[in-house]
C-alpha cells in the first residue's frame, strides 16, 4: 500500500507498504472514454421518468458557466455522482440532470471588456464546462440539459413573474440603490468595493429608484415554520435561514421629538428595558436623519456629511467596522420617564430592520454599551440578575442581556422581566404610546437589475393604460441581440428603440417596454421543476411528473447559497403550491453543503493563481484518480487542503487494485458474492470473509452518512487484507479450483470492486467484467453484508462500578445478560471493588459495557 500524504481526518487509514511493490498504472486512457461512451449509449442515466418504480431525484446546484472548472469545483459534482451511482445499485430510478444558470453580470462585463457578446461568451463557457464534467465521468441525463438564457426557459421565468403579479406578490416601488455618478448606472452590491465603483473607483451614492420587488415577506412565517420539516438539512443552514428571516416580537414605542410633528417610532424586543433608554440612534438612511440634515446650519451640515459617508452603499453594515456616531443636536422624550434623551446617528444601526431607529439601552445591549462607552453616554441598570445587588452603570464592564428583575422602572419595579415586559406592552398599547409588533429582518426580494444579460421583465408602460402586463401568448419577451455595450456599463436595452417602442396590448397606442431585467436568482428559483419536462412548449412543467418526482431527494451545493438561493426556491415553491400547481410545499427534502478545496491555505481561485486543472490531472492520472482523491481528501462537509503528491499515492492504489484483480482474473465461475459461503476451513479464510463483510457494512454506512473519505479508506484496508491472503495462499499452494480459499478470494475481490464502483466507476466497470460480471456494474445490486460474518468474534466488555471503569474484559460477542453478569462478577478486579458491599442493580449494554450499582 502506498504512503498517503493526506489521509482522511476520521477513521483508520491503511498501512503503507502492504500492497504488492510493483508499480505501473492501469490503462485509464483507453478504459475511461470507452466506458463513458458505453454509459451514454446504454442510457444508464436516462430513467423511465413517466413510470418510475422507485424514484430518486439527485440534483447538484445549477452551475454558473463562468469559464473553465478547477478541481475545487469538481468536489460538488463528484459527491452528487457518488450518490447517484450508489442509488442506481440499490435499484432506484435515478434522475440526475444538469443545466446552466446562464444569465448574469460576468457575461456582460466580458462583453464590455473584450467585445464578446454575452451570448457567445456564455455558450463557449457552457461547451468547455460540459467537456470537463463529462471527463470526470459524471453521470447526467444530458437530454434534459437547458440554460436559463434559452428563450424557451426564460419564457416561463417571465410567466412566473406574471403569476406573482396576479397574486399581488410582484410590485413596483421606490427603493435605495447603489449609484455610480461617473458610470451613470446602478451597481449591484458586489460591484461596490470599499464604498467605490469597482470599474472607475468613483465614490458610490445612494439613490431612490423605482424598481420591482417580490413580496417574500408575505411568506415569512411559513418559511420560518416549515424549516422544522427539513430534518435532513444541516442544522447550520436552518439556523442561517432562521437568522436571515429574523422574526422578532416586541413593542413599537413612540418617542416625541422636539421640532417634529410626529413621534419617532422605535422597535424593541425588550420593552422591559425602556426605563434604561438613555439615548436614541438613527440609521444613516433614516428619514429623520435626512430631515435633520436638511435643516441647515453647522449641525445640519454635520449630519448631512455623516449620512453621505455612511450611506454610500445599501447593503448591510459591516459588524467588524469600528462604531462611529454623531449627535444630531436634537432630543427626544422617553415616554416612560418623561426625560429628554439625545438623538444620535450611527453606523451600527440597520436601516432595513424594524423602523431604522433604536432606543439605546447600554446597560442591557452590548452594541449600545460599546457605543455609550465610546462617546461618553450614560449607562443605567434596569434589569438585575440579583435584586439584592444592583450594579451602577459605571461599574459594568459589559452589558447584561439576560432576564432578571426590573429595577428603577417606576410601577414595574420588582416584577420579573418577562412579566413586566408583557404588562408594559399592554399598558403602552392602551395609552396609545406604542403598538405590539412582529418584525422580520427579511426584506422583500428586489428583482430589478438595470442590466442587459437577464430575463426581460414582461411589463409595458402606456400613457393611457398605465402599467400593462405582457399577455402570456406574447411571451417570451426576447432580448435583442444587436446591442452596443458602453464602457460606462449602462444597460444597452435603453438604446434599442426596436425593443423599447411597442404597442400597448390594451389600447394599441404607442407605449414602451420595461428595460430592467430580472435578478438571476429568479431563474434558479424554479429550475428543478423544469428538468422533468424540459422540452414542453405548452407549460413550464408537467404537474403530474413534478408531483411524482419532487421534492428533490438529495440536493448538493455550496454553503454560500445556504441563504438566498434556498430561501427564494422555497418561496417560489410555496407560491406555486398556493396557485394549485404543485402538491408539495418544500422543494428539497435533503440538503448537503460541501466544504471548499484549498491550496496553499486559500480557497482555489484564478485570482490567487492556486488552481489545479482537471484536464491536466485527468490526462496524467485518469478521472478515477481525480475522483478518488477528491473524496479521500477529508470529510466532504469541511474545507480540505489539496496535495499534489498525495494524488500520486491514490493513483498507485488504483494501479495495485487493477493488478490485484487481474492477477486473479482466471478465478472460475459466476459471481459468488451473496451466495452461501465456502466451508470455513482455517482462520485465514474466516478473517478474509470477515474483512469482506465488514467492508461492505462500513462502506454502506459511510456513504449513507456522507463519510466518503472513510468509505474509501475502508476499501483500501480491504485491498490490503485481500492481497495478503492471496499472496499467502498462492505461496502455500492453496488456490486449487473450487477450494474454500478460491471462493473466499473471489468473494473478497467482488466486494472490493462493487464497493469502489460509486467512487471509481471506470475501473470498477472493467474489473467487474473481468471477474465474470455481466452488464453494467451499476445494474448489479449493491452488496449486502452478513452481520454474523462482519462481527468480530470477541469484543472488549467495559465493566463499571457505580459509573467508574474498573475493568476491561475480553468477551464473546452476543452474550446474553445473565452471561455478561456472570463474567463481570467473576473478574477478580471487580470482586475487590464489590467486597463488603451490596449489589443493588446490574445495567447491561449488549456487547459494550456492564455497570454494577452497589451500596
Amino acid at each position: 500500500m502506498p504512503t498517503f500524504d493526506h489521509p482522511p481526518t476520521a477513521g483508520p487509514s491503511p498501512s503503507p507498504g502492504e500492497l504488492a511493490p510493483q508499480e505501473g498504472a492501469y490503462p485509464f486512457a483507453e478504459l475511461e472514454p470507452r466506458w463513458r461512451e458505453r454509459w451514454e449509449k446504454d442510457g444508464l442515466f436516462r430513467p423511465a421518468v413517466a413510470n418510475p418504480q422507485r424514484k430518486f431525484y439527485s440534483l447538484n446546484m445549477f452551475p454558473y458557466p463562468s469559464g473553465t472548472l478547477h478541481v475545487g469545483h469538481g468536489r460538488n459534482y463528484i459527491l452528487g455522482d457518488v450518490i447517484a451511482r450508489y442509488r442506481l445499485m440499490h435499484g432506484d430510478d435515478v434522475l440526475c440532470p444538469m443545466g446552466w444558470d446562464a444569465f448574469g453580470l460576468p457575461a456582460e462585463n466580458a462583453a464590455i471588456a473584450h467585445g464578446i457578446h454575452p451570448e457567445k461568451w456564455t455558450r463557449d463557457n457552457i461547451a468547455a464546462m460540459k467537456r470537463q464534467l463529462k471527463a470526470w465521468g459524471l453521470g447526467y441525463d444530458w437530454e434534459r440539459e437547458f440554460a436559463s438564457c434559452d428563450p424557451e426557459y426564460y419564457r416561463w421565468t417571465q410567466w412566473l413573474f406574471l403569476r406573482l403579479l396576479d397574486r399581488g406578490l410582484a410590485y413596483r416601488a421606490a427603493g435605495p440603490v447603489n449609484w455610480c455618478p461617473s458610470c451613470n448606472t446602478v451597481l449591484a452590491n458586489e460591484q461596490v468595493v470599499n464604498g467605490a465603483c469597482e470599474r472607475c473607483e468613483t465614490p458610490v451614492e445612494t439613490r431612490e429608484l423605482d424598481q420591482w420587488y417580490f413580496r417574500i415577506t408575505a411568506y415569512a412565517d411559513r418559511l420560518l415554520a416549515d424549516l422544522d420539516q427539513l430534518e435532513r438539512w444541516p442544522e447550520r443552514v436552518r439556523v442561517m435561514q432562521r437568522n436571515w428571516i429574523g422574526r422578532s416580537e416586541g413593542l413599537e414605542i413612540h418617542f416625541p421629538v422636539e421640532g417634529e410633528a410626529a413621534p419617532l417610532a422605535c422597535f424593541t424586543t425588550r420593552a422591559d428595558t425602556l426605563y434604561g433608554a438613555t439615548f436614541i440612534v438613527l440609521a444613516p438612511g433614516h428619514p429623520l436623519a435626512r430631515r435633520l440634515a436638511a435643516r441647515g446650519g453647522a449641525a445640519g451640515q454635520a449630519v448631512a456629511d455623516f449620512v453621505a459617508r455612511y450611506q454610500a452603499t445599501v447593503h448591510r453594515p459591516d459588524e467588524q467596522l469600528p462604531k462611529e456616531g454623531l449627535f444630531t443636536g436634537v432630543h427626544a422624550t422617553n415616554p416612560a420617564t418623561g426625560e429628554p434623551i439625545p438623538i444620535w446617528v450611527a453606523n451600527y444601526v440597520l436601516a432595513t430592520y424594524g423602523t431604522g431607529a433604536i432606543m439605546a439601552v447600554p446597560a442591557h445591549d452590548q452594541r449600545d454599551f460599546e457605543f455609550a462607552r465610546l462617546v461618553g453616554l450614560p449607562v443605567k441598570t434596569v434589569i438585575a440578575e440579583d435584586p439584592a445587588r444592583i450594579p451602577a452603570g459605571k461599574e459594568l464592564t459589559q452589558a447584561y442581556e439576560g432576564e432578571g428583575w426590573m429595577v428603577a422602572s417606576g410601577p414595574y419595579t420588582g416584577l420579573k422581566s418577562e412579566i413586566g415586559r408583557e404588562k408594559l406592552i399592554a399598558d403602552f398599547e392602551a395609552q396609545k404610546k406604542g403598538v405590539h409588533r412582529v418584525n422580520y429582518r427579511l426584506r422583500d426580494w428586489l428583482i430589478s437589475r438595470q442590466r442587459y444579460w437577464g430575463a426581460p421583465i414582461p411589463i409595458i408602460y402606456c400613457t393611457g393604460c398605465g402599467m400593462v402586463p405582457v399577455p402570456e401568448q406574447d411571451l417570451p419577451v426576447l432580448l435583442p441581440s444587436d446591442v452596443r455595450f458602453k464602457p460606462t456599463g449602462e444597460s444597452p436595452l435603453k438604446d434599442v428603440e426596436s425593443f423599447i417602442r411597442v404597442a400597448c396590448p390594451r389600447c394599441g397606442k404607442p407605449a414602451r417596454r420595461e428595460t430592467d431585467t430580472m435578478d438571476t436568482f429568479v431563474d434558479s428559483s424554479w429550475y428543478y421543476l423544469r428538468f422533468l419536462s424540459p422540452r414542453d412548449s405548452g407549460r413550464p412543467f408537467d404537474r403530474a411528473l413534478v408531483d411524482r418526482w419532487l421534492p428533490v431527494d438529495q440536493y448538493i451545493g455550496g454553503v454560500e447559497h445556504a441563504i438566498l438561493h434556498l430561501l427564494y426556491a422555497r418561496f417560489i415553491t410555496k407560491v406555486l403550491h398556493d396557485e394549485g400547481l404543485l402538491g408539495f410545499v418544500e422543494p428539497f427534502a435533503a440538503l448537503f453543503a460541501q466544504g471548499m478545496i484549498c491550496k496553499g491555505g486559500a480557497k482555489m481561485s484564478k485570482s490567487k493563481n492556486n488552481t489545479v486543472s482537471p484536464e491536466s490531472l485527468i490526462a496524467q492520472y485518469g478521472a478515477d484518480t481525480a475522483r478518488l482523491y477528491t473524496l479521500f481528501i477529508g470529510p466532504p462537509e469541511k474545507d480540505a487542503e489539496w496535495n499534489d503528491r498525495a494524488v500520486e499515492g491514490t493513483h498507485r492504489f488504483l494501479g495495485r487494485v487493477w493488478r490485484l484483480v487481474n492477477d486473479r482474473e482466471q478465478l472460475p465461475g459466476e459471481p459468488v458474492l451473496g451466495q452461501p459461503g465456502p466451508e470455513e476451513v482455517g482462520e485465514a479464510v474466516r478473517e478474509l470473509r470477515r474483512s469482506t463483510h465488514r467492508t461492505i457494512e462500513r462502506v454502506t454506512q459511510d456513504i449513507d452518512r456522507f463519510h466518503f473519505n472513510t468509505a474509501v479508506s475502508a476499501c483500501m484496508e480491504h485491498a490490503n487484507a485481500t492481497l495478503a491472503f492471496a499472496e499467502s495462499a498462492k505461496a502455500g499452494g492453496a488456490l486449487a479450483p473450487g477450494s474454500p480459499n478460491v471462493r473466499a478470494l473471489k468473494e473478497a475481490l467482488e466486494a472490493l470492486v462493487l464497493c469502489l464502483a460509486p467512487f471509481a466507476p471506470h475501473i470498477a466497470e472493467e474489473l467487474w467484467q473481468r471477474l465474470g460480471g455481466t452488464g453494467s456494474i451499476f445494474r448489479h445490486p449493491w452488496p449486502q453484508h452478513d452481520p454474523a460474518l462482519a462481527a468480530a468474534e470477541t469484543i472488549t466488555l467495559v465493566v463499571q462500578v457505580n459509573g467508574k471503569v474498573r475493568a476491561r474484559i475480553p468477551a464473546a460477542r452476543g452474550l446474553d445478560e445473565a452471561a455478561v453478569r456472570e463474567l463481570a462478577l467473576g473478574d477478580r478486579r471487580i470482586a475487590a471493588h464489590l467486597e463488603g458491599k451490596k449489589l443493588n442493580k446490574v445495567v447491561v449494554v449488549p456487547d459494550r459495557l456492564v455497570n454494577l450499582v452497589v451500596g
Side-chain angles (χ1 to χ4, degrees):
M1 187 72 187
T3 299
F4 286 87
D5 305 292
H6 196 90
T9 58
S13 19
S15 303
E18 293 186 26
L19 285 180
Q22 67 266 29
E23 297 298 332
Y26 66 100
F28 62 85
E30 181 269 323
L31 294 180
E32 292 183 346
R34 173 158 56 82
W35 279 111
R36 289 197 291 270
E37 184 179 328
R38 176 72 174 273
W39 295 330
E40 182 64 28
K41 179 183 177 182
D42 292 349
L44 183 64
F45 287 91
R46 291 196 295 273
V49 172
N51 297 294
Q53 298 301 305
R54 192 171 66 185
K55 70 95 178 176
F56 189 90
Y57 191 171
S58 176
L59 187 64
N60 288 90
M61 286 187 182
F62 218 27
Y64 178 70
S66 58
T68 56
L69 300 169
H70 54 67
V71 295
H73 297 124
R75 194 182 205 187
N76 173 42
Y77 308 114
I78 293 168
L79 293 175
D81 193 64
V82 169
I83 294 300
R85 293 178 184 275
Y86 178 67
R87 296 316 312 175
L88 278 175
M89 297 176 77
H90 278 77
D92 292 347
D93 292 291
V94 175
L95 174 63
C96 191
M98 176 53 64
W100 311 97
D101 192 9
F103 276 135
L105 189 59
E108 198 158 345
N109 285 342
I112 296 169
H114 306 294
I116 303 172
H117 195 282
E119 175 86 16
K120 175 173 171 48
W121 187 85
T122 300
R123 298 294 179 185
D124 288 348
N125 287 343
I126 287 175
M129 290 173 65
K130 186 174 179 179
R131 286 193 299 271
Q132 290 180 302
L133 295 178
K134 286 187 172 183
W136 262 310
L138 304 173
Y140 297 119
D141 184 353
W142 287 107
E143 292 184 354
R144 298 182 180 277
E145 177 190 13
F146 59 80
S148 62
C149 63
D150 296 338
E152 258 313 299
Y153 182 82
Y154 70 75
R155 167 191 180 182
W156 299 111
T157 302
Q158 293 170 342
W159 169 91
L160 180 63
F161 174 93
L162 297 177
R163 299 305 288 251
L164 269 73
L165 186 66
D166 286 345
R167 291 185 67 85
L169 296 172
Y171 65 94
R172 197 166 185 252
V177 296
N178 302 313
W179 180 264
C180 175
S182 174
C183 295
N184 196 35
T185 188
V186 172
L187 302 178
N189 286 336
E190 57 268 22
Q191 294 175 282
V192 179
V193 180
N194 296 324
C197 173
E198 68 171 355
R199 183 181 296 111
C200 68
E201 299 184 353
T202 300
V204 173
E205 302 173 356
T206 298
R207 291 193 179 182
E208 295 278 327
L209 287 184
D210 283 339
Q211 300 184 89
W212 284 97
Y213 295 83
F214 283 165
R215 205 182 303 276
I216 191 173
T217 52
Y219 283 73
D221 281 327
R222 287 171 62 183
L223 288 166
L224 192 61
D226 288 353
L227 285 170
D228 292 336
Q229 298 182 22
L230 303 176
E231 297 176 353
R232 295 168 60 203
W233 280 37
E235 181 57 26
R236 63 170 176 158
V237 173
R238 294 198 290 176
V239 168
M240 291 166 74
Q241 292 227 341
R242 287 192 184 99
N243 291 342
W244 189 267
I245 296 168
R247 186 185 190 277
S248 53
E249 194 169 348
L251 180 66
E252 182 180 284
I253 304 173
H254 301 151
F255 289 79
V257 177
E258 59 188 16
E260 290 284 319
L264 174 67
C266 294
F267 174 79
T268 179
T269 60
R270 293 295 303 267
D272 51 311
T273 67
L274 174 60
Y275 283 80
T278 58
F279 59 102
I280 281 176
V281 184
L282 305 176
H286 194 280
L288 177 58
R290 293 199 293 270
R291 288 199 299 275
L292 296 177
R295 287 185 179 183
Q301 187 58 49
V303 174
D305 291 343
F306 187 91
V307 168
R309 180 149 44 102
Y310 281 106
Q311 206 183 354
T313 59
V314 296
H315 51 60
R316 299 183 178 208
D318 186 348
E319 293 289 345
Q320 303 305 315
L321 283 176
K323 292 178 176 60
E324 187 175 351
L326 178 78
F327 175 46
T328 65
V330 176
H331 289 77
T333 300
N334 185 325
T337 65
E339 298 173 353
I341 56 176
I343 298 177
W344 286 65
V345 58
N347 65 344
Y348 73 92
V349 177
L350 190 65
T352 55
Y353 178 69
T355 66
I358 64 167
M359 66 172 207
V361 186
H364 305 294
D365 182 279
Q366 187 60 28
R367 294 191 310 164
D368 295 342
F369 179 83
E370 292 168 1
F371 186 74
R373 285 284 190 256
L374 180 69
V375 298
L377 288 164
V379 178
K380 181 181 178 182
T381 299
V382 292
I383 302 292
E385 190 174 13
D386 179 2
R389 187 190 181 287
I390 305 171
K394 62 183 180 181
E395 298 176 19
L396 297 176
T397 57
Q398 64 180 26
Y400 174 67
E401 296 180 323
E403 302 287 356
W405 299 85
M406 294 181 69
V407 298
S409 295
Y412 307 98
T413 298
L415 296 176
K416 283 189 174 181
S417 54
E418 301 97 320
I419 296 171
R421 181 160 59 244
E422 297 305 316
K423 188 172 186 337
L424 191 148
I425 290 173
D427 290 348
F428 266 55
E429 281 208 299
Q431 297 164 17
K432 309 295 185 188
K433 293 181 179 180
V435 180
H436 177 261
R437 297 279 189 209
V438 175
N439 264 348
Y440 297 90
R441 192 172 298 273
L442 179 67
R443 286 293 173 260
D444 280 342
W445 177 5
L446 171 60
I447 68 157
S448 280
R449 296 294 181 268
Q450 291 74 31
R451 314 298 305 178
Y452 164 75
W453 193 235
I457 294 177
I459 291 293
I460 292 170
Y461 300 100
C462 175
T463 55
C465 302
M467 186 187 73
V468 181
V470 173
E472 285 188 20
Q473 64 267 23
D474 293 342
L475 300 179
V477 176
L478 293 170
L479 277 174
S481 59
D482 187 14
V483 294
R484 185 170 63 89
F485 294 92
K486 298 180 180 180
T488 59
E490 293 177 84
S491 172
L493 289 177
K494 295 179 179 180
D495 298 328
V496 183
E497 291 294 317
S498 60
F499 176 80
I500 296 175
R501 304 302 172 192
V502 64
C504 174
R506 289 181 183 166
C507 69
K509 293 180 179 178
R512 62 180 180 86
R513 286 195 191 279
E514 171 67 75
T515 56
D516 283 0
T517 55
M518 281 187 253
D519 177 15
T520 57
F521 276 123
V522 182
D523 305 318
S524 60
S525 68
W526 72 279
Y527 77 102
Y528 44 91
L529 304 172
R530 184 67 176 173
F531 277 130
L532 273 302
S533 52
R535 310 293 170 247
D536 195 329
S537 61
R539 52 190 170 175
F541 50 83
D542 183 318
R543 165 72 189 270
L545 291 179
V546 162
D547 280 351
R548 192 171 302 148
W549 280 88
L550 275 92
V552 172
D553 295 281
Q554 183 64 65
Y555 198 36
I556 300 175
V559 74
E560 66 271 19
H561 298 299
I563 297 177
L564 295 183
H565 163 60
L566 292 173
L567 195 67
Y568 295 153
R570 296 179 62 223
F571 164 60
I572 293 300
T573 298
K574 293 179 190 304
V575 171
L576 293 173
H577 172 269
D578 292 352
E579 281 274 287
L581 298 172
L582 296 177
F584 51 92
V585 295
E586 286 291 339
F588 313 119
L591 173 72
F592 184 82
Q594 87 280 358
M596 297 182 298
I597 289 185
C598 306
K599 194 173 185 188
K603 175 187 174 182
M604 281 195 181
S605 168
K606 292 177 183 177
S607 63
K608 295 183 175 66
N609 197 31
N610 68 342
T611 61
V612 176
S613 163
E615 286 93 343
S616 59
L617 186 69
I618 291 170
Q620 185 174 2
Y621 298 116
D624 282 342
T625 294
R627 293 168 60 103
L628 202 65
Y629 179 67
T630 300
L631 296 164
F632 185 59
I633 197 171
E637 73 277 9
K638 298 183 181 297
D639 293 350
E641 180 73 16
W642 186 270
N643 185 313
D644 291 327
R645 202 156 54 91
V647 177
E648 298 174 7
T650 307
H651 182 63
R652 288 195 297 270
F653 164 72
L654 286 178
R656 288 165 181 167
V657 170
W658 172 261
R659 289 190 300 276
L660 173 62
V661 174
N662 277 284
D663 286 351
R664 276 85 201 170
E665 188 182 343
Q666 71 277 14
L667 293 177
E670 296 297 317
V672 300
L673 190 62
Q675 299 177 19
E679 180 185 353
E680 294 189 0
V681 179
E683 180 62 22
V685 168
R686 285 195 293 273
E687 284 299 323
L688 180 61
R689 299 203 71 209
R690 187 173 299 121
S691 174
T692 296
H693 289 266
R694 179 66 179 131
T695 299
I696 296 169
E697 180 183 39
R698 287 178 57 191
V699 172
T700 303
Q701 291 174 348
D702 284 346
I703 293 179
D704 287 339
R705 297 180 299 177
F706 273 73
H707 293 181
F708 299 135
N709 59 316
T710 53
V712 173
S713 181
C715 292
M716 292 175 173
E717 291 177 30
H718 181 56
N720 287 336
T722 304
L723 179 67
F725 175 88
E727 294 302 320
S728 175
K730 182 178 179 181
L735 289 179
S739 68
N741 285 351
V742 167
R743 287 180 60 80
L745 178 57
K746 188 170 177 62
E747 181 186 46
L749 293 173
E750 290 170 0
L752 174 61
V753 172
L754 286 163
C755 288
L756 270 177
F759 312 119
H762 306 87
I763 192 173
E765 281 279 27
E766 186 69 22
L767 294 179
W768 181 247
Q769 307 302 314
R770 299 187 180 213
L771 284 172
T774 57
S776 171
I777 194 172
F778 298 105
R779 298 298 188 198
H780 189 279
W782 183 255
Q784 301 297 309
H785 74 282
D786 183 329
L789 288 172
E793 291 186 343
T794 60
I795 53 98
T796 298
L797 183 68
V798 176
V799 183
Q800 299 175 338
V801 177
N802 288 346
K804 294 185 178 180
V805 177
R806 298 303 186 185
R808 289 181 170 84
I809 306 172
R813 181 178 293 276
L815 290 179
D816 61 23
E817 189 168 331
V820 169
R821 177 189 175 112
E822 183 180 350
L823 187 67
L825 295 175
D827 186 86
R828 58 180 179 77
R829 294 164 294 182
I830 299 302
H833 286 284
L834 299 182
E835 188 174 353
K837 298 174 182 176
K838 180 183 178 183
L839 181 62
N840 295 323
K841 190 176 181 181
V842 178
V843 179
V844 174
V845 178
D847 292 334
R848 290 183 59 191
L849 66 85
V850 56
N851 184 31
L852 307 175
V853 181
V854 300

